[in-house]
Amino acid sequence: MIGFALHTMRNRTAGFAGAFFALLCAAALVCACGALLETGLRGQVRPERYAGAPVLVAGDQNVRETILKQKGEGEVKAKVKAKPLSERAWVPASLAGRLAGVPGVRSVVAEVTFPVHAGGARYAGHGWESAALTPFTLREGRAPAAPGEVVADAASGLSVGGRLTVETVGAYRVVGVTAEALDSQATLFFGTAEARRLAGLLGGRADDMVSAIGVFPEGAPTVVLKGVNAVLEGTNALAYTGDDRGTVEFLDAEKARVKLISLGGALGGTSLLVAVLVVVGTFALSIQQRQREIALLRAVAATPRQIRTMLGGEALLIGLVAGLPGTVLGVGLAFWLRSRFVDLGAMPPNLDLVLSPFPAFAALGATVLAAWAAARISARRTVRIRPVEALGEAALRRSGLPWGRLVAGLLCLGGAVTLTLVLSTLSSEAASSPVTMLTALVWTIAVALLGPVIARVAVTVLGAPMRAFRVGGHLAAANLRAGTGRLAAVVTPLSLMVAMTCTILFVQTTMGHAAETQARVGTRADHVLGPRVPEAAADAVRKVPGVVAVTEVLRTSVRVGLAKYGAQGVTPAGLASTMDLGVLKGSLDRMSDGTLAVSETAADGLGVSVGDRVALTLGDGTPATLTVAAVYTRGLGFADLTLPHDLVAAHVDDPLARTVLVAAPSVDRAVLAAALRDHPGVGVLDRVEAIVTPANAEVNYVAMGLIIAFTAIAVVNTLVMATTDRAREFALLRLVGTTRRQIMRMLRWETFAAVLVAVALGTGVALVTLAAFGAGMTGSATPYVPPVTYLAVVAAAAALALAATVVPARMVLRDRPADVIGARE
């Protein structure tokens, strides 16, 4: 039968084109996701700024927790888990002197790093003494010596003698320009004393702390590592060499790797499930079109096993032929995804894509296996009919639903209901996101399995109004009634596309709208200052008569254990006058330097209430223990944890307040602006517009958009196959007097019915999923669905379906009816 399969494929290339194209796209998706996953697991970040330092001493950028597990009787296994910090961990400056005394060390160089905003650009500020860490050399001019002098890098466009105004600090004169420039970070160098002063002002760090220490050994780095590690024992510092130095330079590298692991795994798994669903549908339609051929083989004594072997062999060959070029496309797709993630800031540019044979082999194996499984599942009923019934079965094409498929559909329906209930209880986005996509997929699989039943119900409902439209509507209703199996095959990918698109889009809008609403309702301030407000500017506003309260707001993230929580640092005094967090227990009036407020979601997750102590790790790794002063409801609009501003400001890389809320009902905007005249760049608004965009929304759109594109391709694939298979039907209609225009009108009616059913099913799946997601994440089961966006999704699905039906139909109708009728049975 394998030889027969090869012969069949050679003579039915058009019939296998749809399955080939679906498998090609599936292989590309799985390969690209595998490359992202491997990059997250094994990727390394090349150092730039620290490339000249053989050994780098810097803070441990991870929170570590030792977990004890009982392995056997009396045996305990300790496992250390680590999660990345959100801010830079600094180390004591005194370590430099101790490291200089290690045998074999030639010299050490300590540096400070702080953000500098000047001339509308963002720079990394350093002291000139640390230029050797790259190394930087002077192209012209000299090193900075006085407090008002600065050296700019070669890419800054500045020249010696120029002036540079640093926000919140003042003007500096450019005294030198370097010969080098870094690809990913613009750099400014100040004098040593001035850099330490600015690190405290702009970086919130004490004079006795540094961001890194470069160690220059006499020989190979391995010679001095033992001595260096001995000095660092008992401190929060670690020694980094090779590409590990890049993780210290690019703090978001580790977060990007974790994100790639979760994204690659989730996207790859979702892609594989979607691919299997799409490929099963494609093979089912292909086998349905070959039902007479298979029936004839059964009638001439071909056994079910031989038919299965033939179909399985065809599937394996198609999977292999499609998988090979698909993996090549997948590598290109992985490079495109990496470039998009870098552009969106989700990946550092120095995190190179890791390529190995494993993603390609995995994609090829998954493609071949999916093709074989799809063929076996799709042919299950066809190959089991008795030879004497084979031709009759093929001629009638009964639309009854087999018991096995019915049971599988009901089981999937039960699984979808269970997942929906679970989703409605999840309040963490990290936990709910994969469950959300899985819930939508399982609902869609249930719809696909029960498709013929749903199609018969839909035809019954839509048939009566369609028959009112004479020839086109009457013919369409008759065709749909006779071909419910074909309608179900067309509706499945269409409903999948609508369901996935709506779920991906409206999960983000639901979260964003809930956060925006909470922030808008919870903000009591009359004015807001921004976008970067120094403490001196906030103090100047406090002195204005009529100002009731001034709240400085900083954003960061902290960890309780290994769990990560978004946090805001706020000025405790007068907080209730500027911010209404929706307090459930306790009071914001209790907020002080040793307290915090927690959202209801965080309180449930941590198991704490008012008066309890919470041990947490601040953004730079500093431990702190605070007492819960209040529990509030508006965690989405503000943050899960609310901490004292001064505590947060001392442990973040950029301590300037992002916004300052001002409660001053009787004070005019002009009065506040006058108070800020010595602080250019700080603006005053009449009202607060708290617009919150979910983190990584763009990244999620790019990643999940690939699945939407894949399902769109599947829609076109299925519709083209279904339409071209009807060539004899169209020819017969034309021979009995039906015109081309009437046939095209009939097809438009059928497409309209298919789109209507698919949109209803896809929308229903998305709404059920979004309602459960919203109930868990926002406390409301009503999702936020922008009408224009939803109509755009429906219009895109309708346009795609219409184009995929009309174009092949016009090509089929070009042939003479008599030639088509005589061509094949």
Side-chain angles (χ1 to χ4, degrees), residues 46-56 109-111 113 124 126-138 153-154 178-189 212-216 245 249-250 350:
R46 292 175 286 104
E48 285 186 350
R49 166 80 181 122
Y50 299 135
V55 179
L56 188 73
V109 175
E111 82 148 356
T113 302
H126 307 283
W128 177 250
E129 75 282 357
S130 64
L133 296 177
T134 306
F136 276 96
T137 58
L138 286 171
D153 68 17
T178 67
E180 300 82 15
L182 303 179
D183 293 336
S184 57
Q185 48 189 309
T187 309
L188 294 177
F189 291 100
I213 302 171
V215 178
F216 294 85
R245 296 169 296 170
E249 181 176 348
F250 299 96
N350 280 31

Side-chain angles (χ1 to χ4, degrees), residues 408-426 435-436 438-447 450 764-765 768-773:
L410 293 176
L411 288 175
C412 280
L413 200 60
V417 171
T418 303
L419 282 171
T420 303
L421 294 175
V422 170
L423 181 60
S424 65
T425 64
L426 299 178
V435 179
T436 302
L438 183 60
T439 302
L441 267 176
V442 175
W443 274 111
T444 309
I445 293 172
V447 167
L450 301 174
V765 168
V768 170
T769 305
L770 290 169
F773 173 84

Side-chain angles (χ1 to χ4, degrees), residues 17 200 273 336 479:
L273 285 173
W336 179 82
N479 272 324

Side-chain angles (χ1 to χ4, degrees), residues 397-681:
R397 293 192 179 183
R398 293 187 306 198
S399 57
L401 195 63
W403 280 105
R405 182 169 177 174
L406 179 61
V407 171
L410 293 176
L411 288 175
C412 280
L413 200 60
V417 171
T418 303
L419 282 171
T420 303
L421 294 175
V422 170
L423 181 60
S424 65
T425 64
L426 299 178
S427 57
S428 166
E429 192 169 3
S432 64
S433 293
V435 179
T436 302
M437 301 312 301
L438 183 60
T439 302
L441 267 176
V442 175
W443 274 111
T444 309
I445 293 172
V447 167
L449 289 170
L450 301 174
V453 176
I454 297 172
R456 282 200 298 273
V457 174
V459 168
T460 302
V461 173
L462 297 175
M466 289 173 64
R467 291 190 195 94
F469 292 87
R470 298 185 64 194
V471 179
H474 184 83
L475 285 174
N479 272 324
L480 291 174
R481 187 173 63 253
T484 53
R486 183 173 59 223
L487 176 63
V490 169
V491 163
T492 296
L494 261 177
S495 60
L496 175 64
M497 186 182 77
V498 173
M500 297 296 288
T501 305
C502 289
T503 302
I504 291 167
L505 290 177
F506 302 139
V507 156
Q508 305 294 339
T509 59
T510 297
M511 285 289 290
H513 183 260
E516 180 184 347
T517 300
Q518 288 187 13
R520 185 176 61 252
V521 173
T523 302
R524 290 176 170 174
D526 303 290
H527 306 280
V528 62
L529 314 180
R532 291 169 46 80
V533 186
E535 186 178 356
D539 290 339
V541 171
R542 285 190 179 96
K543 298 175 182 177
V544 175
V547 172
V548 177
V550 175
T551 303
E552 298 167 80
V553 182
L554 267 176
R555 294 281 181 167
T556 185
S557 65
V558 302
R559 289 193 181 272
V560 182
L562 295 180
K564 184 178 180 180
Y565 290 92
Q568 61 174 353
V570 300
T571 309
L575 178 60
S577 300
T578 59
M579 196 178 287
D580 178 9
L581 297 177
V583 175
L584 286 175
K585 302 174 184 177
S587 172
L588 293 180
D589 295 334
R590 300 179 185 177
M591 285 287 293
S592 63
D593 290 341
T595 64
L596 82 162
V598 299
S599 70
E600 187 179 17
T601 300
D604 291 341
L606 297 173
V608 298
S609 188
V610 174
D612 291 340
R613 304 275 284 172
V614 177
L616 52 83
T617 303
L618 298 171
D620 65 348
T622 303
T625 302
L626 306 175
T627 303
V628 178
V631 177
Y632 55 88
T633 59
R634 296 192 175 113
L636 280 177
F638 294 92
D640 278 324
L641 302 183
T642 298
L643 310 175
H645 173 270
D646 291 346
L647 176 65
V648 173
H651 300 281
V652 295
D653 296 335
D654 189 352
L656 297 188
R658 296 297 181 271
T659 55
V660 172
L661 305 178
V662 181
S666 61
V667 179
D668 188 72
R669 174 185 177 182
V671 176
L672 293 182
L676 294 169
R677 60 181 177 273
D678 295 332
H679 303 280

Side-chain angles (χ1 to χ4, degrees), residues 65-203:
E65 184 176 284
T66 302
I67 300 174
L68 301 178
K69 288 187 176 181
Q70 191 76 28
K71 192 175 181 182
E73 187 174 348
E75 185 179 357
V76 178
K77 182 180 181 182
K79 183 178 182 180
V80 178
K81 289 189 175 182
K83 295 291 183 180
L85 297 168
S86 58
E87 312 285 347
R88 185 178 298 278
W90 286 43
V91 296
S94 58
L95 278 177
R98 297 168 58 191
L99 290 168
V102 173
V105 172
R106 185 178 78 249
S107 63
V108 297
V109 175
E111 82 148 356
V112 292
T113 302
F114 50 92
V116 177
H117 292 262
R122 190 181 192 278
Y123 298 86
H126 307 283
W128 177 250
E129 75 282 357
S130 64
L133 296 177
T134 306
F136 276 96
T137 58
L138 286 171
R139 186 183 68 194
E140 55 179 320
R142 59 176 177 82
E149 297 177 345
V150 67
V151 169
D153 68 17
S156 65
L158 299 171
S159 57
V160 174
R163 305 287 290 181
L164 185 69
T165 301
V166 177
E167 289 181 12
T168 74
V169 178
Y172 288 80
R173 185 168 64 90
V174 179
V175 297
V177 177
T178 67
E180 300 82 15
L182 303 179
D183 293 336
S184 57
Q185 48 189 309
T187 309
L188 294 177
F189 291 100
F190 301 85
T192 301
E194 181 68 0
R196 291 296 179 93
R197 183 182 79 87
L198 293 178
L201 179 65
L202 302 177

